[in-house]
Amino acid sequence: MDRLLYLLETNPRLTNAELAVMLGVSEDEVKEQIELYEKTGIIKGYRAIIDKDKAQAHTVTALIEIKVQPRFGHGFDNIAERISQLDEVESIYLMSGGYDLCCLVSDKSFEEVAMFVAKRLSPLEDVVSTTTHFILKKYKDQGVFFTTKQADDRGTISL
């Protein structure tokens, strides 16, 4: 990955002027390269990473493993595309192991996730079975730490 992409991925809030200084190029060159990355789909978007607990969002994140029956000539792409079109699905991945696909559903209540799996995902043609895992605590997400080290308040004891 080139240095501009790395810098944008690390901190997308950097201005073109700041990026230009860091890269030793002109601001116009940075602007043109970013526009090219966006136009060609290399840059898919920009997002803030939110600590939902601190924001007091009373929602959950679920990883849902999906076993499917792929169709001849289409493999897993056809069913993955259909699942990706469901509004609740934030991300979907083809994976190795006991299940074929894994999707991420976030910012929903436990009940909303349960109803999504029961009424929208499981009944899909070619879905054989699912397993839902709820994220209980985030320690690190997309390279960002969500926990802070607690101070050791036990004090010093000498004998």
Side-chain angles (χ1 to χ4, degrees):
M1 175 176 4
D2 76 25
R3 181 113 171 100
L4 176 57
L5 288 175
Y6 172 79
L7 291 170
L8 287 170
E9 186 176 48
T10 305
N11 184 357
R13 294 187 62 173
L14 291 170
T15 66
N16 289 353
E18 291 169 326
L19 290 164
V21 169
M22 296 168 94
L23 297 169
V25 297
S26 74
E27 195 172 335
D28 286 338
E29 287 176 280
V30 169
K31 181 179 184 261
E32 289 172 14
Q33 190 62 50
I34 291 172
E35 287 173 354
L36 178 64
Y37 287 151
E38 291 171 345
K39 182 180 173 187
T40 58
I42 292 171
I43 294 177
K44 298 291 188 185
Y46 304 89
R47 291 186 74 170
I49 300 170
I50 310 295
D51 187 330
K52 302 295 172 104
D53 291 336
K54 286 185 179 178
Q56 298 179 349
H58 303 289
T59 60
V60 297
T61 299
L63 292 171
I64 304 167
E65 297 175 314
I66 309 161
K67 190 174 287 190
V68 300
Q69 181 63 51
R71 297 211 177 224
F72 181 76
H74 296 286
F76 297 101
D77 294 343
N78 194 17
I79 184 68
E81 179 65 31
R82 281 189 283 146
I83 294 170
S84 73
Q85 297 302 313
L86 300 172
D87 291 336
E88 295 86 350
V89 175
E90 184 175 315
S91 303
I92 186 163
Y93 309 98
L94 177 64
M95 56 189 226
S96 62
Y99 287 84
D100 305 306
L101 301 170
C102 180
C103 73
L104 179 73
V105 174
S106 61
D107 297 331
K108 304 291 178 204
S109 69
F110 279 106
E111 294 81 15
E112 287 173 317
V113 173
M115 289 300 100
F116 164 70
V117 172
K119 295 189 176 199
R120 298 197 66 203
L121 181 61
S122 292
L124 285 175
E125 187 179 357
D126 303 324
V127 171
V128 175
S129 65
T130 65
T131 299
T132 303
H133 305 275
F134 288 98
I135 304 299
L136 302 177
K137 182 177 181 178
K138 283 187 184 181
Y139 295 96
K140 187 176 182 180
D141 188 12
Q142 298 182 47
V144 177
F145 289 96
F146 278 69
T147 57
T148 55
K149 291 186 179 185
Q150 296 189 357
D152 185 355
D153 61 353
R154 293 180 289 176
T156 304
I157 299 175
S158 65
L159 299 174

